[in-house]
Amino acid sequence: MGYFIGTDDAVKIFVEDVGPSDGQVLFLIHGWPVDHRMFEYQMNQLPKMGFRIILMDIRGFGKSDRPYTGYSYDRLSDDIRAVIETLQLKNIALGGFSMGGAIAIRYMARHSGYSIRKLALFGAAAPSFTKRPDYPHGMAKSEVTKLIQQTYTDRPDMLTGFGQIFFAKYISESFKNWFQSLGLDASGHGTAQTAESLRDEDLREDLGKIIVPTAIFHGMKDQICPFVFAELMHKGILDSELIPFKYSGHGLFYDELEKFNRELIRFLE
């Protein structure tokens, strides 16, 4: 079932609701620059186990509205709050991949973990996606600025290059084409604006505000969000569990699909 939910700034957010209505709720936030369909291989399996999966397209992506402004982590976390309140979701698990993980962290800090009982972070783009004077990890800000420039001049080529370092295992051409199509379906401007947030936002002070059990899923071969990110999140988040994926790159949800789904179900139960 799919429907739209309005936010306080009149942006409509697309939500897909899969699985039994009385099932334990897992709310999933996709990463940059794709949409909720990246979780296809979780949507296929978890509802069979009795889970209700709520998935939203971040504004600017998928079927959600594409406003010209409003792509800060604060605003994107407020969109999560709007969905949770509208659907009257209680005692749920929140999961976020890559930039979606960063937004989930900001949600936990900004909204004091409202309605969340557990948090799952998948290859999260945190604590900071880019290097800083006191933080030598991740991409240089200039590298992300180049991605933004490519987005405005040749977005298909940018997506092709980004996709080449996404997965650690062999991916068929058909799968590559499908995955790239998710990025092509996004708003070009929304893709660039959220990349600016990836470049500029700093979540280090948010980590200590998370007070629910947290699982950190992270690929040890990740070339986009290096594994040290997971180690820093594990250190900064009280009551967190680090689950390494030895054979995975950034796309751990597909690189080690069976392990990913198995560990996620274990953590949720």
Side-chain angles (χ1 to χ4, degrees), residues 76-194:
L76 298 174
S77 72
D78 292 349
D79 292 347
I80 295 174
R81 177 71 179 253
V83 173
I84 288 174
E85 288 189 338
T86 300
L87 297 182
Q88 299 181 345
L89 303 175
K90 303 293 184 184
N91 199 33
I92 69 175
L94 178 65
F97 169 71
S98 193
M99 185 181 73
I103 297 165
I105 290 172
R106 176 57 52 82
Y107 175 86
M108 298 300 293
R110 181 172 170 83
H111 295 280
S112 302
Y114 175 80
S115 285
I116 308 302
R117 69 179 184 90
K118 288 186 177 182
L119 175 67
L121 302 171
F122 318 129
S128 171
F129 185 65
T130 53
K131 293 181 172 70
R132 299 173 186 274
D134 58 345
Y135 182 90
H137 314 294
M139 292 187 181
K141 287 193 173 186
S142 60
E143 292 179 89
V144 183
T145 298
K146 184 178 179 181
L147 288 175
I148 294 166
Q149 292 169 342
Q150 288 180 304
T151 298
Y152 282 129
T153 57
D154 190 345
R155 188 161 61 100
D157 190 60
M158 182 279 291
L159 292 170
T160 297
F162 191 71
Q164 287 174 349
I165 60 171
F166 207 92
F167 298 100
K169 74 173 187 178
Y170 168 76
I171 302 296
S172 70
E173 287 300 314
S174 298
F175 188 95
K176 287 179 185 177
N177 292 338
W178 170 75
F179 199 73
Q180 181 165 356
S181 75
L182 302 184
L184 288 170
D185 280 349
S187 155
H189 183 68
T191 300
Q193 290 284 289
T194 47

Side-chain angles (χ1 to χ4, degrees), residues 39-57:
F39 290 115
E40 175 175 337
Y41 299 94
Q42 286 66 55
M43 286 190 284
N44 287 347
Q45 298 300 324
L46 270 66
K48 296 178 184 177
M49 308 295 293
F51 293 97
R52 178 187 177 191
I53 313 299
I54 304 293
L55 309 101
M56 64 174 265
D57 285 338

